Amino acid sequence: FSLAAFKRNKRKLELAEKVETDLIQLKKRRQSNEKENDSGTLDTVGAVVVDQEGNVAAAVSSGGLALKHPGRVGQAALYGCGCWAENTGAHNPYSTAVSTSGICYFYKYFRVECSCALQTEDAHQALLETMQNKFIGSPFLANEDGVLGGVIVLRSCRCAAEPDSSQEKPTLLVEFLWSHTTESMCVGYMSAQDGKAKTHISRLPPGAVAGQSVAIEGGVCRLESPES
């Protein structure tokens, strides 16, 4: 399927180069073809997870983009490029896991920026500011027509049981957030006890422009720690 899509897009590109040699017009035509063709869809799949001990992990897989150059290596094949996970430590009060999808700068740098930002108290605000200042506002992406990307993040910390709770054991406070500048992004989440994942399609607010606006959502839950 991917090979057929590549050949089809390559034929379109070769035809466009014969008809129109102007670089700007060619770029517009390629973008139009990508929107009309399903193979232009961004289809990265990422995952973040935490266990009862508080250990976190992240993973990423990507179908890449159409008309990739020969020898191109995507973020899924490079360690720490498209995803990042780090347990709590001396300098990290929170365990964090991050998985990204988007243009190359997003893969290489944003996952670290995001992980560091999540060490602050307000994860929601930290993620929003990072998306706005470190991604959309990045000087490295100033020439991009649209700064498109998405991220899922998970943050956890060990905390005491709630005062009005009958539980005496400490619990894990887990925050799961997602954010994107694309028109939409699919999200699913579940626990080990769930038989089926809950799914959600996150969308930009009405009137927002893809590549220039940010959507951010998420939730918080508590996990009971195992007996020591």
Side-chain angles (χ1 to χ4, degrees):
F1 176 82
S2 296
L3 179 60
F6 175 83
K7 291 180 178 179
R8 183 168 60 254
N9 285 320
K10 189 176 181 181
R11 285 195 299 269
K12 291 180 180 180
L13 181 59
E14 291 172 346
L15 177 61
E17 288 174 340
K18 291 179 182 178
V19 175
E20 182 61 76
T21 58
D22 184 83
L23 183 60
I24 298 177
Q25 292 300 321
L26 177 58
K27 184 176 182 181
K28 290 181 178 180
R29 184 163 183 169
R30 289 181 64 186
Q31 290 174 340
S32 177
N33 286 341
E34 285 184 355
K35 290 180 180 179
E36 295 174 359
N37 195 309
D38 290 339
S39 63
T41 302
L42 304 178
D43 58 355
T44 301
V45 177
V48 288
V49 65
V50 61
D51 66 13
Q52 285 186 315
E53 298 288 348
N55 300 305
V56 294
V60 68
S61 175
S62 177
L65 297 174
L67 297 173
K68 295 184 291 289
H69 289 289
R72 173 190 177 274
V73 179
Q75 85 284 7
L78 299 177
Y79 172 77
C81 191
C83 62
W84 187 257
E86 189 171 3
N87 283 339
T88 183
H91 302 290
N92 301 325
Y94 298 98
S95 295
T96 58
V98 179
S99 188
T100 64
S101 173
I103 56 182
C104 58
Y105 174 84
F106 206 62
Y107 298 143
K108 292 181 179 179
Y109 305 108
F110 185 79
R111 49 90 183 169
V112 175
E113 297 276 7
C114 191
S115 182
C116 293
L118 290 174
Q119 299 302 325
T120 59
E121 185 174 346
D122 190 338
H124 186 281
Q125 184 64 27
L127 180 58
L128 177 61
E129 291 179 356
T130 305
M131 287 288 289
Q132 291 174 332
N133 301 331
K134 301 295 185 179
F135 185 48
I136 292 180
S138 170
F140 296 103
L141 303 176
N143 295 325
E144 291 291 329
D145 293 333
V147 185
L148 301 175
V151 60
I152 55 175
V153 302
L154 186 149
R155 185 176 83 165
S156 70
C157 68
R158 203 171 294 279
C159 57
E162 295 180 340
D164 58 347
S165 173
S166 60
Q167 299 288 340
E168 296 182 357
K169 296 185 297 182
T171 59
L172 283 175
L173 183 65
V174 179
E175 298 172 83
F176 176 50
L177 303 172
W178 55 89
S179 182
H180 57 95
T181 61
T182 51
E183 292 183 3
S184 63
M185 187 172 80
C186 299
V187 180
Y189 54 93
M190 65 186 299
S191 71
Q193 286 73 42
D194 295 331
K196 186 177 181 181
K198 298 177 179 63
T199 58
H200 172 68
I201 298 180
S202 176
R203 301 186 186 278
L204 287 176
V209 179
Q212 301 176 17
S213 305
V214 178
I216 180 169
E217 298 181 69
V220 182
C221 68
R222 286 179 179 265
L223 299 180
E224 184 178 309
S225 298
E227 297 283 358
S228 56

